[in-house]
Amino acid sequence: MKIGYGRVSTHEQNLDLQNDALVQAGCEKIFSDTITGTSKSRPGLDDARSHLRAGDTLIVWRLDRLGRSLKDLIEWITWFEDHGIGFISLQENMDTTTSTGKLVFHIFGAIAEFERNLIRERTQAGLAAARARGKKGGRKKALDDKQQRAVVELYNAGKHSATEICEMYGISRPTLYSYLKS
């Protein structure tokens, strides 16, 4: 049996393109998630996994729909091999039921991880260069130092609830509590 799996990262995206491709590839059942690929919990993928039996094939639209790291992808392919399940990625034209497909999978996975590592290294280098020039990263504080001290004094005085203080200053509870900690 051919089982399809699709995933999008946000609710603003839709699965139509992936589902159409999976149907065209002959998938009899299609499972999906609307969740980031880095999330450990993917209920649709878990459901697909529970339906897979020896001789079945899991089909995805693109390789990154299944996993985000080479380690994750290799774990999946190993699990498929151990259970006699094939894997096909439509966009990369990869089919692990063949020797060539297995080789291509490993090459694509290594290249994808290499690209992510390059992006991470460039980002880190850019942040380090900005810090060296005296620039600070992160979001601007909601309140200046004087306002932060006033918020802490109001809270410590005990005359106003945390909700009232947040409403007065237009801040969230986590922001209030972070000011109280510092």
Side-chain angles (χ1 to χ4, degrees), residues 14-160:
N14 72 53
L15 290 157
D16 294 345
L17 175 69
Q18 294 178 50
N19 286 340
D20 290 348
L22 294 171
V23 167
Q24 190 173 9
C27 293
E28 298 171 44
K29 289 186 180 185
I30 298 174
F31 299 89
S32 62
D33 284 312
T34 302
I35 194 164
T36 179
T38 57
S39 176
K40 292 287 184 191
S41 171
R42 291 189 269 170
L45 186 56
D46 293 340
D47 284 347
R49 184 182 205 161
S50 70
H51 281 79
L52 290 166
R53 303 288 179 258
D56 289 349
T57 301
L58 180 72
I59 302 176
V60 296
W61 182 66
R62 279 183 38 161
L63 195 56
D64 66 355
R65 302 298 86 192
L66 181 63
R68 298 292 281 190
S69 71
L70 180 59
K71 179 180 180 263
D72 189 31
L73 291 170
I74 289 173
E75 286 174 4
W76 272 105
I77 298 302
T78 302
W79 186 86
F80 295 147
E81 288 175 352
D82 291 347
H83 291 85
I85 297 165
F87 172 72
I88 295 174
S89 176
L90 299 172
Q91 290 298 299
E92 290 85 4
N93 209 11
M94 184 181 313
D95 182 349
T96 64
T97 61
T98 68
S99 297
T100 303
K102 288 178 187 174
L103 173 65
V104 170
F105 164 77
H106 288 286
I107 291 170
F108 271 65
I111 290 170
E113 185 164 344
F114 175 71
E115 182 180 2
R116 281 191 301 278
N117 287 338
L118 281 178
I119 292 167
R120 186 179 306 117
E121 287 172 8
R122 281 189 222 121
T123 301
Q124 294 300 322
L127 290 171
R131 276 189 227 104
R133 290 189 309 275
K135 301 224 183 219
K136 287 186 179 180
R139 183 188 291 184
K140 183 182 174 224
K141 294 282 185 187
L143 304 177
D144 61 29
D145 290 341
K146 183 178 176 182
Q147 290 171 317
Q148 288 179 36
R149 283 191 297 274
V151 164
V152 171
E153 288 172 16
L154 276 173
Y155 184 84
N156 289 337
K159 294 183 180 180
H160 298 282

